[in-house]
Short mmCIF file of all heavy atoms in Angstrom, two decimals:
data_model
loop_
_atom_site.label_atom_id
_atom_site.label_comp_id
_atom_site.label_asym_id
_atom_site.label_seq_id
_atom_site.Cartn_x
_atom_site.Cartn_y
_atom_site.Cartn_z
N ILE A 216 -30.01 -6.09 -17.31
CA ILE A 216 -29.68 -6.39 -18.70
C ILE A 216 -29.79 -5.14 -19.56
O ILE A 216 -28.91 -4.82 -20.39
CB ILE A 216 -30.56 -7.52 -19.26
CG1 ILE A 216 -30.25 -8.84 -18.53
CG2 ILE A 216 -30.37 -7.68 -20.75
CD1 ILE A 216 -31.21 -9.97 -18.89
N LYS A 217 -30.87 -4.39 -19.33
CA LYS A 217 -31.08 -3.16 -20.08
C LYS A 217 -29.97 -2.16 -19.80
O LYS A 217 -29.46 -1.48 -20.72
CB LYS A 217 -32.44 -2.56 -19.71
CG LYS A 217 -32.78 -1.27 -20.45
CD LYS A 217 -34.15 -0.77 -20.04
CE LYS A 217 -34.44 0.56 -20.77
NZ LYS A 217 -35.78 1.08 -20.39
N LEU A 218 -29.55 -2.05 -18.52
CA LEU A 218 -28.49 -1.12 -18.16
C LEU A 218 -27.19 -1.46 -18.86
O LEU A 218 -26.51 -0.60 -19.41
CB LEU A 218 -28.29 -1.12 -16.62
CG LEU A 218 -27.12 -0.30 -16.09
CD1 LEU A 218 -27.32 1.17 -16.42
CD2 LEU A 218 -26.98 -0.50 -14.58
N VAL A 219 -26.83 -2.75 -18.84
CA VAL A 219 -25.58 -3.19 -19.47
C VAL A 219 -25.62 -2.90 -20.98
O VAL A 219 -24.65 -2.42 -21.57
CB VAL A 219 -25.33 -4.69 -19.21
CG1 VAL A 219 -24.15 -5.18 -20.02
CG2 VAL A 219 -25.07 -4.91 -17.73
N LEU A 220 -26.77 -3.17 -21.61
CA LEU A 220 -26.90 -2.93 -23.04
C LEU A 220 -26.78 -1.44 -23.36
O LEU A 220 -26.10 -1.05 -24.32
CB LEU A 220 -28.23 -3.47 -23.55
CG LEU A 220 -28.35 -5.01 -23.62
CD1 LEU A 220 -29.78 -5.40 -24.01
CD2 LEU A 220 -27.35 -5.59 -24.63
N LEU A 221 -27.45 -0.60 -22.55
CA LEU A 221 -27.35 0.84 -22.78
C LEU A 221 -25.93 1.35 -22.63
O LEU A 221 -25.44 2.15 -23.44
CB LEU A 221 -28.28 1.58 -21.82
CG LEU A 221 -29.78 1.51 -22.11
CD1 LEU A 221 -30.56 2.13 -20.97
CD2 LEU A 221 -30.09 2.22 -23.42
N LEU A 222 -25.24 0.90 -21.58
CA LEU A 222 -23.87 1.31 -21.36
C LEU A 222 -22.97 0.84 -22.49
O LEU A 222 -22.08 1.56 -22.95
CB LEU A 222 -23.37 0.77 -20.03
CG LEU A 222 -23.93 1.44 -18.76
CD1 LEU A 222 -23.42 0.72 -17.52
CD2 LEU A 222 -23.54 2.92 -18.71
N ALA A 223 -23.21 -0.37 -22.96
CA ALA A 223 -22.40 -0.90 -24.07
C ALA A 223 -22.59 -0.08 -25.34
O ALA A 223 -21.63 0.25 -26.05
CB ALA A 223 -22.76 -2.36 -24.33
N ILE A 224 -23.86 0.28 -25.64
CA ILE A 224 -24.14 1.09 -26.83
C ILE A 224 -23.44 2.44 -26.71
O ILE A 224 -22.78 2.89 -27.65
CB ILE A 224 -25.66 1.26 -27.01
CG1 ILE A 224 -26.30 -0.06 -27.39
CG2 ILE A 224 -25.96 2.32 -28.07
CD1 ILE A 224 -27.83 -0.02 -27.34
N HIS A 225 -23.59 3.08 -25.55
CA HIS A 225 -22.94 4.38 -25.36
C HIS A 225 -21.42 4.26 -25.42
O HIS A 225 -20.74 5.14 -25.94
CB HIS A 225 -23.35 5.00 -24.02
CG HIS A 225 -24.77 5.49 -24.00
ND1 HIS A 225 -25.28 6.32 -24.97
CD2 HIS A 225 -25.79 5.27 -23.11
CE1 HIS A 225 -26.53 6.61 -24.69
NE2 HIS A 225 -26.86 5.98 -23.57
N PHE A 226 -20.90 3.16 -24.89
CA PHE A 226 -19.46 2.99 -24.87
C PHE A 226 -18.92 2.90 -26.29
O PHE A 226 -17.96 3.58 -26.66
CB PHE A 226 -19.10 1.72 -24.09
CG PHE A 226 -17.65 1.32 -24.26
CD1 PHE A 226 -16.66 2.04 -23.63
CD2 PHE A 226 -17.29 0.22 -25.04
CE1 PHE A 226 -15.33 1.67 -23.78
CE2 PHE A 226 -15.98 -0.15 -25.20
CZ PHE A 226 -14.98 0.59 -24.55
N PHE A 227 -19.54 2.07 -27.13
CA PHE A 227 -19.01 1.89 -28.48
C PHE A 227 -19.22 3.16 -29.31
O PHE A 227 -18.41 3.44 -30.19
CB PHE A 227 -19.66 0.67 -29.14
CG PHE A 227 -19.17 -0.63 -28.55
CD1 PHE A 227 -20.04 -1.48 -27.86
CD2 PHE A 227 -17.84 -0.98 -28.63
CE1 PHE A 227 -19.58 -2.67 -27.31
CE2 PHE A 227 -17.37 -2.17 -28.09
CZ PHE A 227 -18.25 -3.02 -27.42
N ARG A 228 -20.27 3.90 -29.02
CA ARG A 228 -20.43 5.18 -29.71
C ARG A 228 -19.34 6.17 -29.33
O ARG A 228 -18.86 6.95 -30.15
CB ARG A 228 -21.81 5.78 -29.39
CG ARG A 228 -22.96 5.12 -30.11
CD ARG A 228 -24.26 5.78 -29.70
NE ARG A 228 -25.40 5.21 -30.41
CZ ARG A 228 -26.65 5.51 -30.15
NH1 ARG A 228 -26.93 6.41 -29.19
NH2 ARG A 228 -27.63 4.96 -30.83
N SER A 229 -18.99 6.13 -28.04
CA SER A 229 -18.03 7.14 -27.54
C SER A 229 -16.59 6.77 -27.83
O SER A 229 -15.69 7.53 -27.52
CB SER A 229 -18.19 7.31 -26.02
OG SER A 229 -17.91 6.13 -25.34
N THR A 230 -16.31 5.59 -28.39
CA THR A 230 -14.93 5.21 -28.67
C THR A 230 -14.38 5.90 -29.89
O THR A 230 -13.18 5.87 -30.13
CB THR A 230 -14.84 3.68 -28.87
OG1 THR A 230 -15.76 3.28 -29.89
CG2 THR A 230 -15.16 2.95 -27.56
N LYS A 231 -15.21 6.53 -30.70
CA LYS A 231 -14.75 7.25 -31.89
C LYS A 231 -14.30 8.65 -31.49
O LYS A 231 -15.06 9.60 -31.53
CB LYS A 231 -15.85 7.32 -32.94
CG LYS A 231 -16.33 5.94 -33.43
CD LYS A 231 -17.47 6.08 -34.42
CE LYS A 231 -17.96 4.72 -34.90
NZ LYS A 231 -19.09 4.83 -35.86
#
Side-chain angles (χ1 to χ4, degrees):
I216 294 173
K217 181 179 178 181
L218 174 62
V219 172
L220 289 175
L221 286 173
L222 288 175
I224 292 170
H225 287 310
F226 169 74
F227 288 116
R228 284 179 178 174
S229 63
T230 55
K231 299 178 181 179

